[in-house]
């Protein structure tokens, strides 16, 4: 993995303000109602404004709506946009669309979720390392042998796979007992429903890791309704404002912060650099930070 701050790219951005280029940010889900995607969008729009280029933001109505995202990107390729930053709902299903863009000499980068197309750079988090950070926190704050569970995201996505793997290896590696690993597809309502099932079957559970904050907050609601929240640690991933508020309220225990605004910003800067004939790193890692009551106020 290679990590880099895009200082060089940021400098090149300032030279193309009059180009009237159009770049696309194709997100996995809408920013409305999801602070993570809202932050990715804000970063992309800010970069576009600073560079004097147009940024079009599109997203399927739900993160599981693969066909809607394919159609959106196909339409934008037909319009002849100047570059596409894509967070693929399903990397395998989106691969032909990415190949089609490349065939039209449209630069493409992956954002948040890594695709499978060779030679396309990835801008986002080392999700496995971030989940391992969450697991380490749980290991340090739960007794050895404690029963824990994992709420997985969409396992068809590299993000879901990496977070599940990092959590599984970290939790089992320190001697915690994983009693359930079930997908809740990044969704808050599904996170609540799946957590209800898990805690009903495991009333002595002491910890839940959720692969994003939406699912974590759903798990918190399930535990509150079961009057179990005081005895169960819940750790999420993203450290979005809703999660930070929950941590400060003493409900969600912790989360792992990404840099979603930088993802959007670096994505547009990277596309501009590629359009100018420059090269970028294969992987631009935006990093992770453990967020608990001691620093959650910084993420509201």
């Amino acid at each position: 993995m290679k990590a880099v701050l895009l200082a060089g790219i940021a400098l090149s951005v300032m030279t193309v303000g009059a180009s009237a280029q159009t770049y696309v940010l194709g997100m996995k889900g809408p920013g409305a109602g999801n602070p993570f995607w809202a932050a990715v969008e804000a970063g992309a729009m800010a970069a576009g404004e600073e560079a004097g280029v147009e940024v079009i933001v599109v997203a399927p109505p739900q993160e599981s709506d693969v066909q809607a995202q394919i159609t959106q990107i196909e339409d934008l390729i037909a319009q002849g946009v100047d570059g596409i930053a894509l967070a693929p709902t399903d990397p395998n299903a989106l691969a032909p669309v990415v190949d089609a863009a490349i065939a039209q000499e449209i630069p493409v980068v992956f954002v948040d979720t890594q695709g499978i197309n060779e030679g396309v750079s990835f801008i986002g988090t080392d999700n496995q390392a971030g989940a391992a950070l969450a697991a380490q926190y749980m290991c340090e704050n739960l007794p050895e042998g404690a029963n824990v569970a994992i709420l997985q995201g969409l396992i068809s996505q590299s993000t879901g796979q990496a977070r599940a793997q990092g959590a599984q290896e970290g939790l089992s590696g320190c001697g915690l007992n994983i009693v359930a690993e079930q997908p809740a597809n990044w969704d808050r309502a599904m996170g609540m429903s799946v957590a209800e099932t898990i805690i009903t079957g495991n009333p002595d559970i002491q910890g839940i890791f959720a692969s994003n904050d939406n699912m974590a907050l759903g798990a918190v609601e399930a535990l509150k309704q079961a009057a179990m929240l005081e005895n169960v640690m819940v750790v999420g991933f993203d450290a979005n404002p809703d999660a930070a508020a929950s941590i400060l309220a003493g409900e969600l225990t912790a989360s792992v912060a990404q840099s979603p605004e930088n993802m959007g910003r670096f994505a547009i800067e990277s596309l501009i650099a590629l359009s100018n004939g420059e090269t970028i790193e294969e992987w631009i890692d935006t990093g992770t930070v453990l967020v608990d009551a001691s620093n959650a106020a910084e993420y509201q």
Side-chain angles (χ1 to χ4, degrees), residues 268-285:
I268 300 305
E269 293 176 354
S270 297
L271 290 175
I272 293 171
L274 290 170
S275 294
N276 289 343
E278 301 175 32
T279 59
I280 63 173
E281 298 285 352
E282 179 184 349
W283 183 341
I284 299 165
D285 179 15

PDB file of all heavy atoms in Angstrom, residues 268-285:
ATOM      1  N   ILE A 268     -11.345  14.327  -6.784  1.00  0.00           N
ATOM      2  CA  ILE A 268     -11.434  15.321  -7.855  1.00  0.00           C
ATOM      3  C   ILE A 268     -10.049  15.845  -8.219  1.00  0.00           C
ATOM      4  O   ILE A 268      -9.719  15.999  -9.413  1.00  0.00           O
ATOM      5  CB  ILE A 268     -12.373  16.472  -7.445  1.00  0.00           C
ATOM      6  CG1 ILE A 268     -13.783  15.936  -7.164  1.00  0.00           C
ATOM      7  CG2 ILE A 268     -12.403  17.545  -8.531  1.00  0.00           C
ATOM      8  CD1 ILE A 268     -14.409  15.140  -8.304  1.00  0.00           C
ATOM      9  N   GLU A 269      -9.219  16.098  -7.229  1.00  0.00           N
ATOM     10  CA  GLU A 269      -7.857  16.550  -7.502  1.00  0.00           C
ATOM     11  C   GLU A 269      -7.090  15.510  -8.321  1.00  0.00           C
ATOM     12  O   GLU A 269      -6.316  15.861  -9.223  1.00  0.00           O
ATOM     13  CB  GLU A 269      -7.138  16.856  -6.187  1.00  0.00           C
ATOM     14  CG  GLU A 269      -7.702  18.055  -5.446  1.00  0.00           C
ATOM     15  CD  GLU A 269      -7.066  18.301  -4.092  1.00  0.00           C
ATOM     16  OE1 GLU A 269      -6.247  17.463  -3.643  1.00  0.00           O
ATOM     17  OE2 GLU A 269      -7.382  19.333  -3.473  1.00  0.00           O
ATOM     18  N   SER A 270      -7.310  14.247  -7.995  1.00  0.00           N
ATOM     19  CA  SER A 270      -6.624  13.175  -8.714  1.00  0.00           C
ATOM     20  C   SER A 270      -7.075  13.110 -10.167  1.00  0.00           C
ATOM     21  O   SER A 270      -6.261  12.913 -11.081  1.00  0.00           O
ATOM     22  CB  SER A 270      -6.884  11.829  -8.031  1.00  0.00           C
ATOM     23  OG  SER A 270      -6.350  11.807  -6.727  1.00  0.00           O
ATOM     24  N   LEU A 271      -8.388  13.255 -10.400  1.00  0.00           N
ATOM     25  CA  LEU A 271      -8.896  13.220 -11.775  1.00  0.00           C
ATOM     26  C   LEU A 271      -8.340  14.377 -12.594  1.00  0.00           C
ATOM     27  O   LEU A 271      -7.999  14.208 -13.779  1.00  0.00           O
ATOM     28  CB  LEU A 271     -10.428  13.271 -11.766  1.00  0.00           C
ATOM     29  CG  LEU A 271     -11.138  12.020 -11.240  1.00  0.00           C
ATOM     30  CD1 LEU A 271     -12.645  12.257 -11.182  1.00  0.00           C
ATOM     31  CD2 LEU A 271     -10.820  10.795 -12.088  1.00  0.00           C
ATOM     32  N   ILE A 272      -8.239  15.539 -11.990  1.00  0.00           N
ATOM     33  CA  ILE A 272      -7.674  16.688 -12.694  1.00  0.00           C
ATOM     34  C   ILE A 272      -6.214  16.414 -13.048  1.00  0.00           C
ATOM     35  O   ILE A 272      -5.757  16.697 -14.163  1.00  0.00           O
ATOM     36  CB  ILE A 272      -7.817  17.964 -11.851  1.00  0.00           C
ATOM     37  CG1 ILE A 272      -9.293  18.337 -11.712  1.00  0.00           C
ATOM     38  CG2 ILE A 272      -7.033  19.117 -12.478  1.00  0.00           C
ATOM     39  CD1 ILE A 272      -9.574  19.449 -10.727  1.00  0.00           C
ATOM     40  N   ALA A 273      -5.487  15.840 -12.090  1.00  0.00           N
ATOM     41  CA  ALA A 273      -4.082  15.513 -12.346  1.00  0.00           C
ATOM     42  C   ALA A 273      -3.952  14.520 -13.497  1.00  0.00           C
ATOM     43  O   ALA A 273      -3.111  14.677 -14.388  1.00  0.00           O
ATOM     44  CB  ALA A 273      -3.435  14.957 -11.082  1.00  0.00           C
ATOM     45  N   LEU A 274      -4.800  13.490 -13.499  1.00  0.00           N
ATOM     46  CA  LEU A 274      -4.755  12.490 -14.573  1.00  0.00           C
ATOM     47  C   LEU A 274      -5.111  13.116 -15.919  1.00  0.00           C
ATOM     48  O   LEU A 274      -4.510  12.791 -16.944  1.00  0.00           O
ATOM     49  CB  LEU A 274      -5.708  11.335 -14.251  1.00  0.00           C
ATOM     50  CG  LEU A 274      -5.287  10.431 -13.082  1.00  0.00           C
ATOM     51  CD1 LEU A 274      -6.430   9.480 -12.707  1.00  0.00           C
ATOM     52  CD2 LEU A 274      -4.030   9.638 -13.412  1.00  0.00           C
ATOM     53  N   SER A 275      -6.080  14.023 -15.911  1.00  0.00           N
ATOM     54  CA  SER A 275      -6.463  14.702 -17.151  1.00  0.00           C
ATOM     55  C   SER A 275      -5.318  15.552 -17.694  1.00  0.00           C
ATOM     56  O   SER A 275      -5.216  15.773 -18.908  1.00  0.00           O
ATOM     57  CB  SER A 275      -7.680  15.595 -16.911  1.00  0.00           C
ATOM     58  OG  SER A 275      -8.817  14.824 -16.592  1.00  0.00           O
ATOM     59  N   ASN A 276      -4.464  16.019 -16.790  1.00  0.00           N
ATOM     60  CA  ASN A 276      -3.307  16.827 -17.193  1.00  0.00           C
ATOM     61  C   ASN A 276      -2.104  15.976 -17.573  1.00  0.00           C
ATOM     62  O   ASN A 276      -1.012  16.503 -17.801  1.00  0.00           O
ATOM     63  CB  ASN A 276      -2.909  17.767 -16.053  1.00  0.00           C
ATOM     64  CG  ASN A 276      -3.923  18.883 -15.855  1.00  0.00           C
ATOM     65  OD1 ASN A 276      -4.741  19.143 -16.737  1.00  0.00           O
ATOM     66  ND2 ASN A 276      -3.886  19.520 -14.709  1.00  0.00           N
ATOM     67  N   GLY A 277      -2.291  14.653 -17.614  1.00  0.00           N
ATOM     68  CA  GLY A 277      -1.196  13.770 -18.002  1.00  0.00           C
ATOM     69  C   GLY A 277      -0.253  13.421 -16.876  1.00  0.00           C
ATOM     70  O   GLY A 277       0.813  12.828 -17.107  1.00  0.00           O
ATOM     71  N   GLU A 278      -0.627  13.756 -15.644  1.00  0.00           N
ATOM     72  CA  GLU A 278       0.206  13.427 -14.496  1.00  0.00           C
ATOM     73  C   GLU A 278      -0.096  12.006 -14.019  1.00  0.00           C
ATOM     74  O   GLU A 278      -1.078  11.379 -14.426  1.00  0.00           O
ATOM     75  CB  GLU A 278      -0.041  14.431 -13.360  1.00  0.00           C
ATOM     76  CG  GLU A 278       0.253  15.874 -13.742  1.00  0.00           C
ATOM     77  CD  GLU A 278      -0.121  16.843 -12.639  1.00  0.00           C
ATOM     78  OE1 GLU A 278      -0.014  16.472 -11.449  1.00  0.00           O
ATOM     79  OE2 GLU A 278      -0.531  17.978 -12.971  1.00  0.00           O
ATOM     80  N   THR A 279       0.728  11.494 -13.133  1.00  0.00           N
ATOM     81  CA  THR A 279       0.488  10.187 -12.522  1.00  0.00           C
ATOM     82  C   THR A 279       0.183  10.371 -11.046  1.00  0.00           C
ATOM     83  O   THR A 279       0.591  11.359 -10.426  1.00  0.00           O
ATOM     84  CB  THR A 279       1.709   9.270 -12.679  1.00  0.00           C
ATOM     85  OG1 THR A 279       2.844   9.900 -12.064  1.00  0.00           O
ATOM     86  CG2 THR A 279       2.004   8.996 -14.141  1.00  0.00           C
ATOM     87  N   ILE A 280      -0.554   9.424 -10.475  1.00  0.00           N
ATOM     88  CA  ILE A 280      -0.866   9.442  -9.043  1.00  0.00           C
ATOM     89  C   ILE A 280      -0.515   8.085  -8.447  1.00  0.00           C
ATOM     90  O   ILE A 280      -0.276   7.116  -9.172  1.00  0.00           O
ATOM     91  CB  ILE A 280      -2.351   9.782  -8.784  1.00  0.00           C
ATOM     92  CG1 ILE A 280      -3.273   8.708  -9.376  1.00  0.00           C
ATOM     93  CG2 ILE A 280      -2.690  11.164  -9.340  1.00  0.00           C
ATOM     94  CD1 ILE A 280      -4.741   8.889  -9.023  1.00  0.00           C
ATOM     95  N   GLU A 281      -0.495   8.032  -7.121  1.00  0.00           N
ATOM     96  CA  GLU A 281      -0.165   6.791  -6.445  1.00  0.00           C
ATOM     97  C   GLU A 281      -1.256   5.739  -6.669  1.00  0.00           C
ATOM     98  O   GLU A 281      -2.426   6.052  -6.909  1.00  0.00           O
ATOM     99  CB  GLU A 281       0.008   7.028  -4.941  1.00  0.00           C
ATOM    100  CG  GLU A 281       1.140   7.975  -4.578  1.00  0.00           C
ATOM    101  CD  GLU A 281       2.495   7.332  -4.737  1.00  0.00           C
ATOM    102  OE1 GLU A 281       2.551   6.109  -4.984  1.00  0.00           O
ATOM    103  OE2 GLU A 281       3.513   8.043  -4.607  1.00  0.00           O
ATOM    104  N   GLU A 282      -0.854   4.493  -6.543  1.00  0.00           N
ATOM    105  CA  GLU A 282      -1.797   3.382  -6.701  1.00  0.00           C
ATOM    106  C   GLU A 282      -2.848   3.385  -5.601  1.00  0.00           C
ATOM    107  O   GLU A 282      -4.005   3.047  -5.823  1.00  0.00           O
ATOM    108  CB  GLU A 282      -1.011   2.070  -6.683  1.00  0.00           C
ATOM    109  CG  GLU A 282      -1.848   0.818  -6.807  1.00  0.00           C
ATOM    110  CD  GLU A 282      -1.008  -0.441  -6.687  1.00  0.00           C
ATOM    111  OE1 GLU A 282       0.241  -0.334  -6.712  1.00  0.00           O
ATOM    112  OE2 GLU A 282      -1.595  -1.525  -6.560  1.00  0.00           O
ATOM    113  N   TRP A 283      -2.427   3.729  -4.375  1.00  0.00           N
ATOM    114  CA  TRP A 283      -3.346   3.773  -3.236  1.00  0.00           C
ATOM    115  C   TRP A 283      -3.050   5.025  -2.437  1.00  0.00           C
ATOM    116  O   TRP A 283      -1.935   5.207  -1.940  1.00  0.00           O
ATOM    117  CB  TRP A 283      -3.187   2.528  -2.370  1.00  0.00           C
ATOM    118  CG  TRP A 283      -4.150   2.431  -1.204  1.00  0.00           C
ATOM    119  CD1 TRP A 283      -4.876   3.418  -0.621  1.00  0.00           C
ATOM    120  CD2 TRP A 283      -4.504   1.247  -0.486  1.00  0.00           C
ATOM    121  NE1 TRP A 283      -5.663   2.951   0.403  1.00  0.00           N
ATOM    122  CE2 TRP A 283      -5.439   1.605   0.505  1.00  0.00           C
ATOM    123  CE3 TRP A 283      -4.101  -0.079  -0.588  1.00  0.00           C
ATOM    124  CZ2 TRP A 283      -5.982   0.678   1.400  1.00  0.00           C
ATOM    125  CZ3 TRP A 283      -4.654  -0.992   0.306  1.00  0.00           C
ATOM    126  CH2 TRP A 283      -5.573  -0.631   1.289  1.00  0.00           C
ATOM    127  N   ILE A 284      -4.042   5.886  -2.300  1.00  0.00           N
ATOM    128  CA  ILE A 284      -3.926   7.084  -1.484  1.00  0.00           C
ATOM    129  C   ILE A 284      -4.735   6.824  -0.213  1.00  0.00           C
ATOM    130  O   ILE A 284      -5.962   6.852  -0.215  1.00  0.00           O
ATOM    131  CB  ILE A 284      -4.435   8.322  -2.242  1.00  0.00           C
ATOM    132  CG1 ILE A 284      -3.589   8.531  -3.499  1.00  0.00           C
ATOM    133  CG2 ILE A 284      -4.390   9.564  -1.355  1.00  0.00           C
ATOM    134  CD1 ILE A 284      -4.192   9.475  -4.503  1.00  0.00           C
ATOM    135  N   ASP A 285      -4.036   6.538   0.873  1.00  0.00           N
ATOM    136  CA  ASP A 285      -4.662   6.127   2.134  1.00  0.00           C
ATOM    137  C   ASP A 285      -4.987   7.354   2.964  1.00  0.00           C
ATOM    138  O   ASP A 285      -4.096   8.146   3.303  1.00  0.00           O
ATOM    139  CB  ASP A 285      -3.707   5.199   2.892  1.00  0.00           C
ATOM    140  CG  ASP A 285      -4.272   4.736   4.229  1.00  0.00           C
ATOM    141  OD1 ASP A 285      -5.480   4.883   4.465  1.00  0.00           O
ATOM    142  OD2 ASP A 285      -3.479   4.238   5.034  1.00  0.00           O
TER     143      ASP A 285
END
